[in-house]
Amino acid sequence: MTAALIFLALLMGVVVWWLVRQTINVKPWVASAPQGIQSGVGFLPPSKLALGVLLAVITSLFALFISAYSIRMEVADWRPLPEPALLWVNTAVLFAASVGLQWAWRGAARENWPAVRRGTAVGAACALAFMIGQLIAWRQLTAAGYLVAGNPANSFFYLLTGLHVLHLLGGLVALMKTGGYVRAQAAAQARTGVELCAVYWHFLFVVWLILFGLLLST
Amino acid sequence: MVFAIALVVLVVGSVAFHILSPWYLTDLASNWGTIDTTISITFWVTGIVFVAVNLFMAYCVYKFRYQKNRRAEYQPENTKLEFWLTAVTAVGVAAMLAPGLIVWADFVTPPDDAVEVEAIGQQWHWSYRLPGDDGKFGNVDARFLTDDNPFGMDPDDPNGQDDRLVESNKVHLLKDQPVKVNLRSKDVLHNFTVTQFRVKMDLVPGLVSYLWLTPTKAGEFEVLCEELCGIGHFAMRGLVIVDEPADYDAWYSSLPTYAEVAARLPGDPVVGQGQYAICVACHGPQGAGLQLLNAPKIAGQEDWYLRRQLNYYKSGARGAHPEDIYGRQMAPMMATLATDQAVENVIAYIQTFPDAPAEATITGNAERGKDLWITCGACHGERGQGIKAMNAPRMAGMTDWYLARQLENFKADIRGKHKDDLYGWQMAQMARILKDDDAVNDVIAYINTLNGAPPGAGDQLAAVGAIHLAAEE
Amino acid sequence: MAQVAHDAVTDADLGPFEIEDPELYHPKTFIGKYIWSQDAKVIAVQYGITAIAIGLVALALSILMRLQLGWPDAFSLIQPANYLQFVTMHGMIMVIYLLTALFLGGFGNYLIPLMCGARDMVFPYVNMVSYWVYLAAVLILVASFFVPGGPTGAGWTLYPPQAVVGGTPGTGAGIILMLISLCVFIVGFTMGGLNYVVTVLQARTRGMTLMRLPLTVWGIFMATVLALLAFPALFVSCIMMILDSLIGTSFFMPAMIAEGQQTAYDGGSPILFQHLFWFFGHPEVYIVALPAFGIVSDVLSTHARKNIFGYRMMVWAIVAIGALSFVVWAHHMYVSGMNPYFGFFFATTTLIIAVPTAIKVYNWVLTLWRGNIQLTVPMLFAIGFIFTFINGGLTGLFLGNVTVDLPLSDTYFVVAHFHMVMAVSPVLVVFGAIYHWYPKITGKMLDDTLGKVHFWMTFLGTYAIYYPMHYLGFEGMPRRYYAYGTDTAFMSQSAHTLNEAISIAAIFVAIAQMVFLYNIVRSLTKGKEAGPNPWNATTLEWQTPHTPPRHGNFDELPSVYRWAYDYGVPGAEQDFIPQNVPSEELAAARAKDEGAQGEGKADG
């Protein structure tokens, strides 16, 4: 459970630090007129904060899977499976997807709509290519006799990669919706959408790097 | 006012209940008096807090009850008071925690002079193993578990050959001898609890857990499973018998070693045919049974069950109860099978009989019986085929009037109550689920529809039941 | 709205506050208003009704269990398999589908936007979807009653391997539906949870600093954070168990036999499941408890006409309990066969968590001290809660202390403890909260006499059920047993009689709930008109221009000048000052007293 605990400790640390800043030296019973426009966390719009919370939840999910992985690994029946070389290619493709969306994000910030369109297209296409690549990697492993129930190492491989792809799929749905805003030239929504998608893509890329590193190292 | 009085009454009542309660820790029979001490400490600390805080609250509710012209005191906080309350609480917590941790340190480190016993759990029985004269347990593995190797012994491990096997729910311990009980499960999670010993621990398939204790009182103590392990959980009992040295040695030397068990000779049906002569009058030449003489069908019944019952008749564990009229007729017959080998031979001969389903004589609502059978089938098999590993004999195709009588006997404590009838107590508990008069007939009507074949591959329920056999790899 | 301009800062200085058009908040059709509603208040009621409906099923199951335990030879319809299914479904429904959903989905949705001074949740559409996904989870759960083999009977902890293989009821479709239902619930909850967190952080009205939030919002907020981080653990274990069950992986399933036959499972770790389950399961206790802590604080303060004592300490206790709840999980596993050395660590953390919990209790009681206590029905429930919670909390010190847990674990002591602390206590708060906020939700008061009858029957009845039950646990009576037999040596014959008495008390309590339901339904039409603020409370939900509040909550968003606990303020006209009422004299007087220092930093 170490991975999950480390993640939680960090998160709780942030929460407590933030709370201390909010509350220290405050005498809540003292009445006063409101100052400023709103009492919320000023630096983030709600949608970005929501994405942040969602990413924390997803991180918790993967951290727990990694914890389970490292506990289950200790048992004697664990037989590591060979990672297909294709995974390296897929990693590069997912990186390209991230770059594409970063490009779109910069474009959106400058209201450069052609760049946004190209960037999101690259991001979406590469994400799709990554998913197809993962599927091919699955088929290669199945063909080589590494079935999902054959060994816990196999089970975890399919489970972790599958879950990661599912999250990417969810991201694609959001990206499609953002694509609609871009086409409709709805500047505000498009900008937010592209930004959120870019952050999500980077996040999933990092998650993939961690998962891939874990799979390679064990 | 009423509320304040109610709170005071509840506090006083709770304390009085605690003092007067006839329900409290059972008499201690092990070295774990320290556990009882930590409970007392915890009771004192929590009891004081319980009384003090609740009485204070009752006082507040009375004293500061609503008055129209009064205002509450405006007091946002009182840092000093809060600090002191926190400090006192921390001291109280430490007073409970420290002794707890000291005793726990004792619990996790068995003493060097502790002898080892292994308690093995399965749905829904106990068995035990002793390391034998070499003091070392042989290797075991779940993969070795079969009907013929119920302990899962590694046949090639020399350390295991002299292990003493206890194929029984009962185990004996030596008084005043520290013992480390290793715990192992053959199937699901179980828990080894002897209430009078205070300690307990789960059995987890795939690993060996342990607990240790020194029994300090001679006597018999029930072993309970306290981890929900399925339908039969409530009837999974064992017995620990704490002996003085002489009794213990007698018991120990009566235990077979693994090598002896593995070398048991099969019976000889040809010799058995001669010894069956006395049985034939009632049970018939082909073992088909005869209702007129109250003799059940024995053809098709499994050998291990016949062996157990015949030995029970011999030892008086069955057929000795004054109201067991027909059992009392059977008991003297067994005198003719004097040796174990004779019993084996007869059983071997019975196994050669052709097996035809007995005629149905009892009618009932088979649909309702099917629902009742869910419990029975958990041990006797979904198709009533009998499962040796569960110590549950075959039901399907056997004489139904006999089943009815036995169920009634179990319910009335005529059968299964004897202390040497290892699995009878469990069946007596189970028979009691047939609570009304029709239930027995209904379940037997359903048994009459079963064919006893093991569940086929096409059986949907079994397929979803997720017993994945040999499908992969 | 009362006069807004005051002090140095005026509305004009603050600038335009709202971007959204309140016109958006007027759905035209009945379906838009009550079925596919995006109004958090309607969603709250939907959550509430669904949760209470499924909770009634769980109540019925508990009565069936008690019938079997009280009179083991009487009811032939209750077979061992059924009994275990009742145990399992009762526990799971009560913990997840009733209490979690009701506190967060029900009270969270109703109270967060109103108490924060927001028009609605930040993402109303996602909020609506959250409810419908929850409903789907409930329906999947209910469906498991009707599949072959029935629902799972593995206990609400769903421990493998018994949850997956033979010998336990519902190892077929039952367990799969249970796991799927939980996954769906978690997805739905995550949508709602995102809303609650973001709304609390981002949509508070001006002047509503974090330290002015009512403790109800604090409790629900922290519980939501816990749930968002802890539910993934349940999700992970559910997914892995589904795979173990359906396609034969061995995450949790060891090499073992089932019904005398070898299985193909190998090497899996049942303890791993328990770690994951309790990593969720222990925070889950606080997911239910923290909202109850928050709500009861507000109810106590309102009806004692006194500020909550030690507000800052209360907030920090909530945060500390929340953070600590992630490092105590294995105290559920002292006798699970895990490495016994873990016991030292987890016993210590568990007993440490008692300190902030005790502080909360002290502060509740000190809130009553020198108050002006109105024993209204909500107040009765709130004080009943304190009494019950003290009892349940103290028995937690027995079970949390690893050595004391040894004899008591898996006995009726555990059952009594967690029902006291996690069932009766929160449920008393739920009732208190419903009596407290029903007038705002419906505009009608609940009947006082029926409410008192309900309180006394429930409070005394539950104590009669669970207090003696601890002693059955001391005697060693194991839990989750279908029957005890009459020949168990260490169980006294009187223990069976006590079991019967407990069953009678349980039926008595169940009848009391019918009184409650009758009151709820009857008061909808026959209740006294409540008016906007029947309890003279300070928090914003009582200051809405309409009762019940309309979609959008406020005509003009309120500004907040003070904390939620200005009861009995010296010199004030009334014994309460709502949060949105400025008081110039007071502000001026305070400014002299305390200097500008306190005020300057009061904003978040």
Side-chain angles (χ1 to χ4, degrees):
Chain A
M1 305 301 283
T2 329
L5 278 179
I6 290 172
F7 164 70
L8 274 167
L10 287 175
L11 208 65
M12 284 298 168
V14 172
V15 169
V16 169
W17 168 79
W18 174 77
L19 264 175
V20 169
R21 285 201 36 187
Q22 292 282 317
T23 59
I24 204 96
N25 287 333
V26 173
K27 292 200 172 68
W29 54 90
V30 176
S32 70
Q35 294 171 0
I37 288 185
Q38 204 170 353
S39 304
V41 184
F43 54 90
L44 278 178
S47 53
K48 281 191 199 165
L49 183 67
L51 180 69
V53 176
L54 183 66
L55 295 189
V57 174
I58 298 174
T59 310
S60 175
L61 181 75
F62 278 104
L64 283 157
F65 265 120
I66 291 168
S67 297
Y69 185 91
S70 58
I71 293 175
R72 185 65 180 85
M73 218 175 77
E74 305 294 315
V75 182
D77 66 334
W78 185 273
R79 307 261 175 285
L81 76 174
E83 284 78 14
L86 182 61
L87 291 186
W88 288 99
V89 180
N90 291 350
T91 309
V93 171
L94 192 60
F95 180 66
S98 236
V99 171
L101 276 177
Q102 184 64 27
W103 183 16
W105 186 359
R106 280 186 45 165
R110 295 171 193 169
E111 308 244 345
N112 178 356
W113 297 114
V116 174
R117 269 193 288 275
R118 276 194 293 275
T120 46
V122 169
C126 287
L128 263 177
F130 172 81
M131 290 195 280
I132 294 166
Q134 294 290 73
L135 204 66
I136 295 171
W138 276 26
R139 299 195 59 147
Q140 285 176 352
L141 280 173
T142 323
Y146 295 96
L147 299 180
V148 60
N151 189 274
N154 310 358
S155 313
F156 266 110
F157 178 86
Y158 288 103
L159 182 57
L160 290 174
T161 51
L163 211 69
H164 180 259
V165 163
L166 275 181
H167 279 88
L168 201 55
L169 209 61
L172 272 180
V173 174
L175 191 59
M176 265 164 57
K177 208 173 159 200
T178 305
Y181 291 134
V182 174
R183 267 192 302 281
Q185 304 265 338
Q189 287 102 320
R191 199 160 39 230
T192 317
V194 167
E195 199 177 328
L196 296 180
C197 285
V199 172
Y200 189 68
W201 251 245
H202 299 341
F203 170 78
L204 281 187
F205 179 63
V206 173
V207 169
W208 169 247
L209 285 185
I210 294 170
L211 291 182
F212 191 36
L214 183 75
L215 294 170
L216 279 180
S217 66
T218 52
Chain B
M1 189 69 194
V2 176
F3 202 0
I5 292 171
L7 286 175
V8 173
V9 168
L10 280 177
V11 170
V12 173
S14 300
V15 174
F17 186 95
H18 174 72
I19 295 167
L20 301 175
S21 164
W23 310 289
Y24 201 59
L25 293 168
T26 48
D27 292 339
L28 182 70
S30 77
N31 59 316
W32 290 113
T34 44
I35 292 182
D36 289 4
T37 311
T38 56
I39 292 180
S40 301
I41 294 172
T42 312
F43 247 122
W44 276 105
V45 174
T46 57
I48 289 168
V49 175
F50 174 77
V51 172
V53 177
N54 280 320
L55 287 184
F56 179 73
M57 187 164 74
Y59 169 74
C60 290
V61 169
Y62 168 71
K63 170 85 181 170
F64 306 110
R65 63 192 180 280
Y66 189 72
Q67 284 163 328
K68 201 154 189 211
N69 300 319
R70 202 165 59 84
R71 284 273 172 96
E73 188 184 80
Y74 189 76
Q75 186 195 25
E77 61 183 35
N78 180 342
T79 323
K80 210 170 140 191
L81 177 64
E82 287 173 84
F83 171 81
W84 279 110
L85 284 173
T86 310
V88 170
T89 307
V91 170
V93 163
M96 289 181 284
L97 179 63
L101 294 185
I102 291 167
V103 178
W104 185 250
D106 199 12
F107 176 74
V108 298
T109 44
D112 293 335
D113 61 340
V115 298
E116 290 191 274
V117 177
E118 184 183 64
I120 303 154
Q122 66 165 93
Q123 283 174 334
W124 289 281
H125 301 293
W126 296 98
S127 51
Y128 310 88
R129 183 166 66 124
L130 303 174
D133 299 335
D134 64 355
K136 280 186 204 149
F137 282 116
N139 284 334
V140 286
D141 193 299
R143 287 283 163 253
F144 293 123
L145 288 168
T146 59
D147 277 358
D148 297 325
N149 186 2
F151 286 79
M153 304 285 295
D154 178 349
D156 300 327
D157 184 4
N159 288 332
Q161 300 304 320
D162 70 340
D163 286 5
R164 301 282 178 134
L165 306 183
V166 187
E167 293 175 283
S168 150
N169 282 337
K170 298 177 187 175
V171 69
H172 292 238
L173 296 178
L174 189 54
K175 189 172 160 252
D176 298 326
Q177 164 66 50
V179 57
K180 179 184 175 212
V181 185
N182 293 320
L183 303 165
R184 171 162 74 95
S185 170
K186 296 201 270 188
D187 40 38
V188 300
L189 302 171
H190 298 285
N191 179 295
F192 181 88
T193 302
V194 177
T195 305
Q196 293 88 338
F197 291 164
R198 298 292 186 268
V199 287
K200 63 165 65 95
M201 190 54 72
D202 276 7
L203 285 66
V204 185
L207 57 85
V208 176
S209 49
Y210 69 89
L211 53 82
W212 81 269
L213 64 123
T214 310
T216 53
K217 270 189 195 164
E220 296 188 352
F221 306 99
E222 277 149 311
V223 180
L224 280 80
C225 176
E226 295 204 354
E227 181 66 61
L228 176 56
C229 58
I231 289 176
H233 172 52
F234 71 101
M236 179 172 170
R237 294 279 173 99
L239 202 66
V240 172
I241 299 160
V242 178
D243 282 338
E244 302 290 349
D247 296 336
Y248 182 82
D249 291 342
W251 171 76
Y252 181 82
S253 52
S254 76
L255 295 174
T257 64
Y258 170 63
E260 285 166 14
V261 171
R264 268 180 193 154
L265 288 173
D268 181 346
V270 180
V271 184
Q273 184 168 12
Q275 286 157 329
Y276 186 73
I278 190 151
C279 319
V280 85
C282 297
H283 290 283
Q286 303 282 295
L290 198 54
Q291 186 175 8
L292 207 64
L293 296 172
N294 294 301
K297 174 186 162 198
I298 48 176
Q301 190 52 279
E302 288 156 289
D303 54 352
W304 54 267
Y305 179 71
L306 294 173
R307 180 178 307 120
R308 192 164 78 214
Q309 296 308 316
L310 290 177
N311 285 328
Y312 281 172
Y313 278 120
K314 223 159 101 175
S315 70
R318 194 177 164 189
H321 193 283
E323 289 173 46
D324 188 2
I325 303 159
Y326 307 108
R328 286 168 70 91
Q329 292 173 358
M330 179 70 189
M333 300 295 169
M334 280 309 298
T336 62
L337 300 175
T339 64
D340 285 351
Q341 193 57 45
V343 174
E344 289 302 319
N345 293 341
V346 168
I347 291 168
Y349 179 62
I350 293 171
Q351 297 301 304
T352 65
F353 292 156
D355 175 28
E359 200 184 326
T361 64
I362 287 174
T363 52
N365 180 350
E367 268 307 303
R368 175 157 179 258
K370 189 178 179 184
D371 291 339
L372 297 169
W373 181 257
I374 289 171
T375 309
C376 319
C379 288
H380 292 278
E382 205 180 326
R383 314 290 308 158
Q385 74 272 24
I387 299 178
K388 182 182 179 186
M390 310 283 236
N391 295 307
R394 175 177 155 184
M395 299 276 109
M398 306 309 283
T399 24
D400 56 1
W401 52 266
Y402 173 76
L403 297 181
R405 181 190 299 152
Q406 294 309 312
L407 282 170
E408 295 300 347
N409 283 353
F410 276 120
K411 281 171 76 172
D413 281 339
I414 293 169
R415 183 176 169 190
K417 193 77 171 165
H418 193 281
K419 67 179 171 52
D420 290 330
D421 188 348
L422 295 176
Y423 309 107
W425 182 87
Q426 184 176 59
M427 188 61 213
Q429 299 305 306
M430 287 299 178
R432 284 179 168 76
I433 71 167
L434 304 170
K435 295 174 193 174
D436 56 53
D437 297 341
D438 294 334
V440 170
N441 288 346
D442 293 344
V443 79
I444 288 175
Y446 179 68
I447 293 173
N448 282 336
T449 69
L450 298 174
N451 61 18
D459 194 317
Q460 279 303 310
L461 264 178
V464 192
I467 299 167
H468 303 277
L469 278 167
E472 50 246 86
E473 287 182 309
Chain C
M1 193 80 13
Q3 78 271 46
V4 178
H6 123 104
D7 248 2
V9 190
T10 65
D11 265 10
D13 297 327
L14 295 173
F17 183 33
E18 294 191 84
I19 310 151
E20 297 126 306
D21 176 6
E23 272 302 299
L24 285 175
Y25 292 102
H26 294 112
K28 304 285 183 286
T29 62
F30 176 84
I31 289 181
K33 210 165 171 183
Y34 295 111
I35 309 293
W36 304 108
S37 175
Q38 300 189 21
D39 180 355
K41 297 186 294 299
V42 178
I43 294 171
V45 174
Q46 290 173 329
Y47 259 111
I49 291 174
T50 313
I52 290 175
I54 193 72
L56 284 173
V57 173
L59 179 71
L61 293 176
S62 71
I63 294 302
L64 289 170
M65 279 148 61
R66 277 320 313 181
L67 287 180
Q68 167 63 24
L69 290 173
W71 302 275
D73 301 324
F75 301 94
S76 50
L77 276 177
I78 307 171
Q79 293 286 302
N82 308 128
Y83 179 78
L84 294 180
Q85 288 165 329
F86 300 161
V87 169
T88 307
M89 299 314 269
H90 167 79
M92 194 60 104
I93 290 173
M94 287 298 195
V95 171
I96 308 265
Y97 298 85
L98 172 68
L99 285 173
T100 307
L102 190 57
F103 272 123
L104 302 182
F107 290 110
N109 263 314
Y110 201 88
L111 295 174
I112 288 177
L114 275 167
M115 285 186 152
C116 291
R119 294 217 176 278
D120 205 330
M121 287 290 178
V122 169
F123 310 108
Y125 182 79
V126 179
N127 205 21
M128 175 189 78
V129 178
S130 156
Y131 167 72
W132 292 100
V133 175
Y134 163 66
L135 183 66
V138 170
L139 292 178
I140 294 170
L141 181 85
V142 170
S144 79
F145 281 95
F146 301 100
V147 295
T152 178
W156 87 280
T157 48
L158 303 179
Y159 280 179
Q162 41 262 65
V164 175
V165 293
T168 300
T171 45
I175 181 71
I176 298 290
L177 284 176
M178 178 85 254
L179 296 170
I180 290 174
S181 171
L182 285 172
C183 288
V184 172
F185 179 91
I186 292 165
V187 170
F189 170 77
T190 306
M191 295 182 198
L194 280 176
N195 253 313
Y196 314 150
V197 169
V198 177
T199 304
V200 171
L201 290 179
Q202 297 288 47
R204 279 170 287 133
T205 190
R206 74 187 128 192
M208 182 62 90
T209 61
L210 280 176
M211 292 312 266
R212 279 179 177 169
L213 280 175
L215 285 169
T216 298
V217 178
W218 268 110
I220 295 175
F221 173 71
M222 199 62 203
T224 307
V225 172
L226 294 190
L228 285 172
L229 296 173
F231 270 125
L234 181 64
F235 192 80
V236 165
S237 37
C238 285
I239 296 278
M240 288 178 13
M241 210 203 288
I242 290 175
L243 293 178
D244 276 1
S245 176
L246 279 183
I247 60 172
T249 55
S250 294
F251 291 114
F252 304 132
M253 301 297 287
M256 59 180 283
I257 57 169
E259 286 161 346
Q261 303 292 316
Q262 286 280 345
T263 62
Y265 294 118
D266 195 15
S269 167
I271 301 239
L272 170 59
F273 175 88
Q274 296 181 25
H275 277 301
L276 287 170
F277 182 87
W278 289 113
F279 192 82
F280 143 78
H282 196 78
E284 169 63 30
V285 174
Y286 291 100
I287 290 166
V288 171
L290 290 182
F293 290 175
I295 289 171
V296 85
S297 306
D298 285 354
V299 172
L300 279 171
S301 173
T302 305
H303 297 271
R305 314 308 298 159
K306 182 167 180 264
N307 66 290
I308 192 79
F309 183 84
Y311 175 87
R312 289 192 295 185
M313 203 65 150
M314 293 297 254
V315 171
W316 275 100
I318 286 177
V319 175
I321 291 170
L324 280 171
S325 73
F326 278 105
V327 288
V328 297
W329 79 87
H331 68 216
H332 298 269
M333 300 165 60
Y334 288 146
V335 297
S336 70
M338 69 170 179
N339 184 341
Y341 285 90
F342 288 177
F344 295 107
F345 174 77
F346 285 101
T348 308
T349 53
T350 303
L351 265 68
I352 288 175
I353 213 172
V355 177
T357 315
I359 288 170
K360 294 199 75 78
V361 174
Y362 300 147
N363 286 1
W364 289 324
V365 179
L366 287 169
T367 300
L368 299 177
W369 172 250
R370 294 186 178 160
N372 196 15
I373 300 168
Q374 294 180 307
L375 284 179
T376 55
V377 177
M379 189 60 160
L380 292 178
F381 277 102
I383 298 175
F385 159 83
I386 300 178
F387 182 84
T388 313
F389 184 76
I390 290 173
N391 197 302
L394 291 174
T395 52
L397 291 166
F398 286 76
L399 297 172
N401 197 349
V402 58
T403 305
V404 184
D405 182 64
L406 268 177
L408 299 179
S409 183
D410 296 312
T411 69
Y412 262 76
F413 188 92
V414 177
V415 177
H417 158 71
F418 72 69
H419 276 95
M420 276 290 204
V421 81
M422 205 192 164
V424 180
S425 297
V427 166
L428 288 176
V429 174
V430 166
F431 290 139
I434 290 176
Y435 284 97
H436 186 74
W437 278 294
Y438 186 89
K440 179 53 66 175
I441 298 170
T442 63
K444 302 285 170 70
M445 301 297 286
L446 282 167
D447 186 89
D448 213 45
T449 313
L450 287 177
K452 283 185 174 150
V453 170
H454 176 219
F455 167 75
W456 285 110
M457 286 178 78
T458 308
F459 176 58
L460 297 178
T462 48
Y463 201 67
I465 297 173
Y466 296 112
Y467 186 73
M469 205 184 262
H470 291 95
Y471 290 83
L472 291 176
F474 275 119
E475 195 172 83
M477 191 170 116
R479 63 191 282 215
R480 292 171 167 178
Y481 265 35
Y482 169 76
Y484 291 86
T486 47
D487 51 359
T488 305
F490 64 80
M491 269 185 73
S492 52
Q493 289 306 310
S494 57
H496 299 286
T497 317
L498 180 57
N499 251 332
E500 208 173 314
I502 289 173
S503 293
I504 292 169
I507 293 165
F508 181 74
V509 171
I511 292 168
Q513 309 322 309
M514 301 305 120
V515 177
F516 172 66
L517 289 179
Y518 171 72
N519 195 355
I520 291 263
V521 175
R522 181 179 172 273
S523 300
L524 271 180
T525 51
K526 302 231 171 89
K528 262 193 313 185
E529 284 299 325
N533 192 358
W535 310 118
N536 289 339
T538 57
T539 41
L540 292 181
E541 79 274 21
W542 301 106
Q543 323 306 332
T544 56
H546 308 281
T547 299
R550 292 185 181 165
H551 198 173
N553 293 349
F554 304 95
D555 287 345
E556 184 191 345
L557 284 182
S559 292
V560 168
Y561 296 86
R562 57 188 72 247
W563 71 338
Y565 302 100
D566 266 346
Y567 293 101
V569 179
E573 246 175 74
Q574 289 175 290
D575 72 344
F576 73 107
I577 312 174
Q579 285 191 278
N580 59 342
V581 171
S583 159
E584 287 171 68
E585 309 87 67
L586 187 71
R590 281 285 166 82
K592 267 184 205 158
D593 276 2
E594 314 243 352
Q597 168 194 16
E599 290 183 25
K601 288 183 185 167
D603 188 51

